[in-house]
Amino acid sequence: MFSGLNKFVKNILPKQLFYRALLIVAAPIIILQITISIVFFDSLWIKTNKGMTRALVGEIKTFIDAYESEEYDKNNLINLFNKHLNFQITFKDSSLERKQNNERWFSPMDRTLRRELKNKFNNYWFDTTSYKELIELKIEYLNGYFEFLIPKNR
């Protein structure tokens, strides 16, 4: 039954002792190296993504805190965040409208964004799928909401 497969494997494997020994020693090292690299870079990517998301949510929280303060001109503050942080910010006086739920539960970006936003804000909504290069984020504020359009590379 398995004689065809057995013959195929025998034809592929090396015949000489040196190459067999090399295969016995080198194959586990190569497999271990690939496994460690994948685990290391995945862990590094997750930590980097978490740090960038935490910084982004901190910048949004800073904007809202500064917007609440009477010291700053509201339009000037919006222009500063648009110019230096590349946020497109608008304030809308209606209640927070939620589109269909496009949140992807298995996306690392959505997961870390959801986790960080939950710590800072009570009522929010975001969409990472409508725009190719932007994240649409809506955060409730007083009798309306802020709409942020943020580049995904942030």
Side-chain angles (χ1 to χ4, degrees), residues 2-3 5 10 26 30 36 39 47-48 53-54 57-58 65 88-90 92 94-95 107 113 118 126 129 135:
F2 293 106
S3 62
L5 184 61
K10 281 185 177 181
I30 292 171
I36 289 172
V39 169
K47 288 177 185 175
T48 303
T53 305
R54 185 172 287 155
V57 172
D65 289 345
Q88 295 176 12
I89 305 169
T90 55
K92 303 200 176 173
S94 60
S95 63
S107 168
L113 189 58
K118 188 172 27 171
F126 67 91
T129 58
I135 298 171

Side-chain angles (χ1 to χ4, degrees), residues 128-135 149-154:
T128 58
T129 58
S130 292
Y131 301 103
K132 184 177 179 181
E133 295 295 324
L134 295 173
I135 298 171
L149 292 176
I150 305 163
K152 280 189 180 179
N153 61 4
R154 298 252 327 146

Side-chain angles (χ1 to χ4, degrees), residues 80-154:
L80 280 172
F81 270 75
N82 188 11
K83 180 180 175 186
H84 295 293
L85 296 176
N86 203 15
F87 291 177
Q88 295 176 12
I89 305 169
T90 55
F91 180 74
K92 303 200 176 173
D93 287 328
S94 60
S95 63
L96 182 60
E97 57 192 50
R98 294 175 184 256
K99 296 181 195 173
Q100 63 183 4
N101 193 4
N102 287 337
E103 293 179 15
R104 300 171 298 170
W105 288 96
F106 299 106
S107 168
M109 184 191 325
D110 288 11
R111 198 175 5 190
T112 56
L113 189 58
R114 189 178 306 108
R115 187 178 303 129
E116 293 300 324
L117 286 170
K118 188 172 27 171
N119 291 339
K120 301 279 185 187
F121 303 105
N122 292 332
N123 197 4
Y124 63 88
W125 178 85
F126 67 91
D127 181 17
T128 58
T129 58
S130 292
Y131 301 103
K132 184 177 179 181
E133 295 295 324
L134 295 173
I135 298 171
E136 180 183 12
L137 172 63
K138 296 177 182 180
I139 298 175
E140 189 175 49
Y141 178 75
L142 297 178
N143 58 349
Y145 65 92
F146 284 109
E147 181 179 51
F148 296 88
L149 292 176
I150 305 163
K152 280 189 180 179
N153 61 4
R154 298 252 327 146

Side-chain angles (χ1 to χ4, degrees), residues 11-110:
N11 288 336
I12 291 178
L13 291 177
K15 308 286 185 270
Q16 297 175 348
L17 184 61
F18 174 75
Y19 294 113
R20 286 183 180 185
L22 187 65
L23 186 66
I24 290 171
V25 172
I29 292 173
I30 292 171
I31 291 170
L32 185 67
Q33 189 68 33
I34 289 171
T35 306
I36 289 172
S37 298
I38 289 171
V39 169
F40 171 75
F41 283 115
D42 187 52
S43 171
L44 180 69
W45 189 83
I46 288 171
K47 288 177 185 175
T48 303
N49 191 17
K50 184 177 180 180
M52 289 177 66
T53 305
R54 185 172 287 155
L56 175 71
V57 172
E59 290 167 357
I60 292 170
K61 183 69 174 159
T62 301
F63 169 79
I64 291 176
D65 289 345
Y67 194 86
E68 288 176 350
S69 174
E70 295 295 324
E71 297 175 24
Y72 302 106
D73 177 35
K74 311 288 189 222
N75 291 329
N76 190 25
L77 186 65
I78 289 173
N79 290 337
L80 280 172
F81 270 75
N82 188 11
K83 180 180 175 186
H84 295 293
L85 296 176
N86 203 15
F87 291 177
Q88 295 176 12
I89 305 169
T90 55
F91 180 74
K92 303 200 176 173
D93 287 328
S94 60
S95 63
L96 182 60
E97 57 192 50
R98 294 175 184 256
K99 296 181 195 173
Q100 63 183 4
N101 193 4
N102 287 337
E103 293 179 15
R104 300 171 298 170
W105 288 96
F106 299 106
S107 168
M109 184 191 325
D110 288 11

